[in-house]
Amino acid sequence: MSRLDKYDAIIIGGGHNGLTAAAYLSKAGKKVLVLERRHVLGGAAVTEEVFPGFKFSVCSYVVSLLKANVIRELMLPRFGLEILPLESTFTPLDNDYLFRTSDYDQTYKEIYRHSKKDAENYTRFGPLMGQVGMAVRPILETIAPNAIRPSINDLLSLKSLLGHVKGLNNETFEYLCKLMTMSSADFLDEWFEFEPLKATMSASGIIGTFMGPRSPGSAYVMLHHYMGDIDGSFRAWGFQRGGTGELSMTIARSAKHFGAEILTEASVDKVIVKNGEAVGVALENGNEYKSDIVISGLDPKLTFLKMIDESDLPEDFVRDIKNFRIRGSSGKVNLALDGLPNFTSLPGDGPHLRGAISISPSYDHLERAYDDAKYGNFSKEPYMDIILPSVLDPTMAPPGKHVMSCFVQYAPYNINGGWDDNKREAFGDAVVNTLSRFAPNIKDLILHRQVLTPMDLEKTFGLTEGNIFHGELTLQQLFSFRPAVKWADYTTPIKNYYQCGSGTHPGGGVTGSPGEMAAKKILKIW
Amino acid sequence: MISGKKSSKFTANTQLKISPFFERTSKINMSQEWKRWGGFLASTKYDLHHDNEYFAIRTKAGLLDISPLYKYRIKGKDSKLFLNRLVTRNINICEVGQVMYSSWCDENGKVIDDGTIQRLDKEDFRLTSAEPNLYWLELNSYGMDVDIHDESEMISALALQGPNSRDIINSISSKSINDLKFFRIINTDFNGIEVSISRTGYTGDLGYEIWIKPSDSLKIWDILIKKGKDFGITPAGLNALDISRIEASLILLDVDYISSRHALIEDRKSSPYELGLGWTVKLNSGNFIGYKALKNENKNPSHWRFVGIEILWDDLEKLYKKVGLAPDLPHAAWRDSVPLYYNKSQVGYATSGCWSPILKKYIALAHVNSKYSSLDTILDFEIKVEHYRHLTPAKIVKTPFYNPKRKMSCPD
Amino acid sequence: MVDKKFDYIVIGGGINSLISAALLSKKNKSVLLFESCDQIGGMASLNEFSPGFKCNLIYDYIKWIDDRVIKNLKINKSLLEYIENDIYRISLNSNTNDHIFFNRDNNKTVKSIQSISKSDSEKWIDFTNYISKIASFLKPLYKITPPNIQKMGLGDAMSMKEMIKPMWSHGTRGFVDILRTLPMMMPELLDEWFESKLLRGTISASGIHHLNQGPYSAATVLNFLHHNLYSGSHILDANFIKGGVNNFSKVLKNKAIDNGAVIKINSKVISIDCSDDICHGVTLENGEKFFCNNIISGLDQNNTCIKLLGLENLNPNIRTQLNNIKYRGSTARIHFALKTIPKIKGVNNDQLKTVFSITPSINYLEKAFDEVKYGRFSSSPSIEFCIPSLINSGYAPNGKHVLSASIQYIPYKLKNKEWNKSLKDDIIKNVTNILDQYISNFSDIIIDSSISTPLDFENSLGITEGSFNHGDMTLDQFLFMRPTISSSQYRTHIKNLFICGPSTHPGGGLHGSNAFNMVNEILK
Ligand SMILES: Cc1cc2nc3c(=O)[nH]c(=O)nc-3n(C[C@H](O)[C@H](O)[C@H](O)COP(=O)(O)OP(=O)(O)OC[C@H]3O[C@@H](n4cnc5c(N)ncnc54)[C@H](O)[C@@H]3O)c2cc1C
């Protein structure tokens, strides 16, 4: 392909959202070019063979939020989408455990063992959250209106949203309001009494978030994680065969099928702006590409403060983007193992190794982990969400060996004294030590270890401050405020420059939603 | 799977709960068919066909493991006050040794669950229910002097149902139960093992329910089987029970109605009036939960009524004849929702139905718009014959469909 | 025995109850008010904690009073007067004497901040403008009955429009700023402005004032705005009242009586009598019954509904909602009887008639909160104190003084421990030690001291869990969710039982907006 080619659209960043937007636009007949900085596609949804024979879903490790209509419209199953169910959560405790599965009776029996009332309430909780999730879906699927100067369309969609809210039954509305404002701990305290159950459930309210379970606002993040695909079974987490990167590849294949061109190792330096209009991009290697429109799949900080000169942007917008909170708080430790971990409380192989393993014995455990990070240290005893991909998909590791993915809260980006190799290793040790409290054989099993700090996430994946969601999911950074007021509908103050990353509504996770909604919006006004 | 040695504890390789009788029932379940009941493994039928078990209930005695029922013990000074607040019936008139059947409702008068209340002592009650209710009980006992205890796993239970059931018990029990009236309970012992016996059941026949300490379960089972042999005692599974309870027009939670605590939407909820349980609502007995809503509902006719229907045989036969077949009836009771029409528009739906082997009638229980619910109204029942849908007439009839005198009488 | 039948019975003699009584009787309604103690005032009353030494039970000063109350009840300066001091707050610096002196002349505040951070001092005026602008948008919201979102009709929507108008008129940013800042946590707001630890800590302390949350909790900015709604350019404002805070309750009491209301003290209501969800009177402790068709309660929801109405009048859903209200008292009060005037380092004797903050940094406050999270009380608490005996006479014998301190966080309940005297003594000792660092002669001049924990307040004043706000001031208990989503229009599930206390919108403080809004609502 020659540099003289002019594209209809150039997409900066081959993350799954950029690829999704590319697929939709090419499907609509546009000539699209995707430019990815790294040698692999997928961004934070990527699989890499980090150690020979061991494949890691380096960052994002489970899939549930991927929208069903994206799967259908982009024909992803045809291009390799195969999501294996991950249907249990195992919380090891010091002398006991909690093991929840998708089976109603089994889970009832298990929770009953710990708390009779909780077992009963648990049977109501899931379906009710399903109702709330259903209530939120239309909000997530509405292009965020301009809160300052709403257009006619904005008013219409606001009106229909209001109508939708008014149509909810009292109970759903009440829970919705509470989930928007409370801490996940307070919310769960209204339902349950058994700490490990509450702590494990609340943990989805702190994932990727600089908050503890007792911090108000964490209930919303919990809801965000509950909004898994409702077409299928609710909050059904799954694992893409071949790792999360394979999921990005299916989207890339779909995009290519519809005619998109994708270039890797093509790092964009700047968006070329002429007379307040985006006309193309310049790569770091000096190449330039021209196009009618440019779409950024990067986070808001990079999209605006790096790709564009401040002088080309309105002053208050620059202030908003600078004030956009994007603190990273998570790390990732990927282990190559010689065998399976053996949990003291539930020894041996078993179904509990096929699902998520949550190191969340109590609220206090999580809060203490948070306190460490609040004051600028990594958690000495972190919260972890763990899966063993090789148990589900043996191709992830050599025969008899395993890979283990540990998502770790908290590791602050701004650690006291800054991150260095020693601290990274110390962080990795903290993770392994915490793990060995529950599975003592882990230390002997480790063949290789990959430790990713927020600093590494920034350096390798271009996630500013290592924030996994391209910006915190706090109330003031959602919907019409994501990433900045007036520009929450995928447009930007620069003409023909658009955004489609997780920093836009409805936010982070492997959802495909920002990419899809941005593409649909662009096609509508094109 | 089943341990043979006497000393070692019985275990079964399942994630589901097993009742204390499982060691016996699992061995005699020739069909190897199980259903889930309250998280327990429960026999669908023991033979390859349930007919024999059903007829045992109606002509001899069927023995059913009903341990999966939820059981709550309610004791304390305010226990009566509490139950009066909880259930729709007037507990003041429940004597010691008496059992009452009742439903209980949420604040909008929609049914949460139904079950029996045994008055074991002045301030000592046992409540049985189909679904877990502990949270609800505790929520509503706040501030009262009651002690609520989940006894579900501390009491196992057997139902002995059928015309010979009294004779079987009399042949074992240290006390005669000849005087035990319908919906009464006594304490007695079987060969020195303490049990309580209530004259209750879910079959609409003469029958008893036996409440047992779990550790005594197998002994009681063995005694009953041994002594009952001469009276034709037959272990019976859920299929036989389901037919019996439909004949007796007894409702089943999650089949005929949905608990208002789980309904999610208003339309799925039912009031006691709409379930034919109006007789359990004692509006003059005080301020129970849902009282206000039910008082209002009582003034205006409820939207729904719960009725028994009989699918008329001749018309049904004609439909089959047209395709050249004899009527092909369901072998077991069904539990799907079947539409009912009046003049081509849908006015209700049947929620469970079966061929009644003893009445030789095709019967069903149905929710019908109260305007079309008077006795003898003919509705159209949807039926599929050889892949094609048809409407066939069904008549609203009096319930229970089957109601033998022996159910309530005592020997003189 | 009063045999006349009244239009309204008001339960409780706090600020909001008195305002309700005064406003309703002004509208020619007959009103009968019951207070269980021997004086009216509730949380705004005076107490002798040691022979000859008096203290303000909870509030030493007032942040703001609803201007509608002042106007409507014609409370003029001769009745209620603020003591205007130039310096309204001093934030104490521990190592140096570079305290921040907050002055009514904002330029002087700027100057004071300059000594700790030049850049912060340059931003101070902009910051106060920014906050007062946002506060001005919030004010109309404080004057309405919260809408019932789900049943919101055209009428409600129109009234909301009135409210939103001032925001629009300020240009588009105003609207954005309020929506953006309300859910924030204090550090998020302050990261956008200041660098000095002391200044950040001091401002954040206002965001956690009387709240059981740390500054790192979302929506602490809401609480901050609540306290600074009428501060204007004097952020962290505090107004002393001539004659003491209880003078405000006295004025209101007199207004009510002048307007014809009957006030009975020493009359404890023990039940609101009710049948079929309609209430028809109250019963007093002495057995007397009073019949009335409209009952107003100034108590919190736990007292009003669970205790007075009784469980039989609460359906399970309402009760679940009531049980889920988070009260969570967080503040203890310690009063010291002093031999002489305390000598505060770096503060002149003529600068003592003000409020002092010991709030060194955001992390200091957050660490104080961390301990509460784990069920302990703060070992290094946030402290706010003043010397009421210098401000008004009558608090202490001649030459002697009273120092009253508010201590955060002292939880209502401890983990695995019951409150007892020795724990309380520990707190006093600890606070004394901290104050010693700032007050050179402190330990030597203490004659006596007295502490009230949230549990003590529950026992003495009846406020549930010692929550001054009758429910924590968090985002999930704000506007149409205060006190519960089904009772946020000053009405309860009992048709003729109304609520006017701080448990209602817009929450706690001696401002009277709750009562004013309620009266508007019932006379509608
Ligand atoms: C450790 C971790 C664990 C996670 N776990 C989960 C999970 O289990 N489940 C889940 O649903 N979500 C998870 N997430 C979140 C989810 O992965 C992200 O929200 C999502 O992948 C973001 O997708 P995106 O396309 O918006 O952005 P990205 O994936 O960040 O894509 C941006 C792309 O732009 C590229 N790029 C950057 N700069 C340039 C440039 N100058 N020129 C060209 N290209 C450039 C990057 O290399 C990258 O490929 C996790 C994230 C992390 C970091």
Side-chain angles (χ1 to χ4, degrees), chain A residues 13 15-17 36-37 43-44 60-62 268 298 468 470 502 509-510:
Chain A
H16 87 284
N17 276 316
E36 165 58 40
R37 189 177 56 112
S60 170
Y61 51 104
V62 288
V268 176
L298 315 185
I468 75 164
H470 287 193
S502 298
V510 183

Side-chain angles (χ1 to χ4, degrees), chain A residues 12-18 35-38 42-45 58-63 65 237 266-268 297-298 302 306-307 331-332 407 457 460-463 468-470 500-502 508-510:
Chain A
I12 310 173
H16 87 284
N17 276 316
L35 299 167
E36 165 58 40
R37 189 177 56 112
R38 297 191 70 211
V58 182
C59 293
S60 170
Y61 51 104
V62 288
V63 188
L65 308 164
W237 291 99
S267 181
V268 176
L298 315 185
L302 293 177
K306 172 168 189 317
M307 289 294 145
K332 184 85 192 286
F407 180 86
L457 292 175
T460 315
F461 301 96
L463 297 163
I468 75 164
F469 293 140
H470 287 193
C500 74
S502 298
V510 183

Side-chain angles (χ1 to χ4, degrees), chain B residues 85 107 136 139-140 142-143 287 289 291-292 295, chain C residues 276-277 306 311-312 314-317 319-320 323:
Chain B
R85 173 106 182 102
E107 60 271 13
W136 184 255
L139 176 70
N140 290 297
Y142 185 84
N287 188 4
I289 301 161
Y291 165 76
K292 230 183 104 183
K295 202 167 136 191
Chain C
D276 273 356
D277 288 358
I306 296 180
L311 296 166
E312 60 280 11
L314 301 174
N315 71 43
N317 183 34
R319 181 147 79 254
T320 306
N323 282 349

Side-chain angles (χ1 to χ4, degrees), chain A residues 200-279:
Chain A
T200 306
M201 293 174 83
S202 77
S204 51
I206 60 170
I207 285 193
T209 310
F210 213 129
M211 290 184 209
R214 294 198 177 101
S215 306
S218 51
Y220 176 77
V221 183
M222 186 168 78
L223 177 66
H224 187 86
H225 282 95
Y226 253 98
M227 259 150 349
D229 189 356
I230 304 173
D231 287 4
S233 54
F234 190 63
R235 199 196 187 248
W237 291 99
F239 176 79
Q240 163 68 34
R241 198 159 85 95
T244 312
E246 198 49 34
L247 186 146
S248 303
M249 291 313 296
T250 68
I251 305 175
R253 283 180 214 121
S254 167
K256 279 189 190 151
H257 167 83
F258 291 119
E261 287 175 43
I262 300 175
L263 274 189
T264 52
E265 293 178 278
S267 181
V268 176
D269 182 37
K270 279 277 175 202
V271 172
I272 305 169
V273 178
K274 281 215 179 97
N275 305 325
E277 247 176 77
V279 295

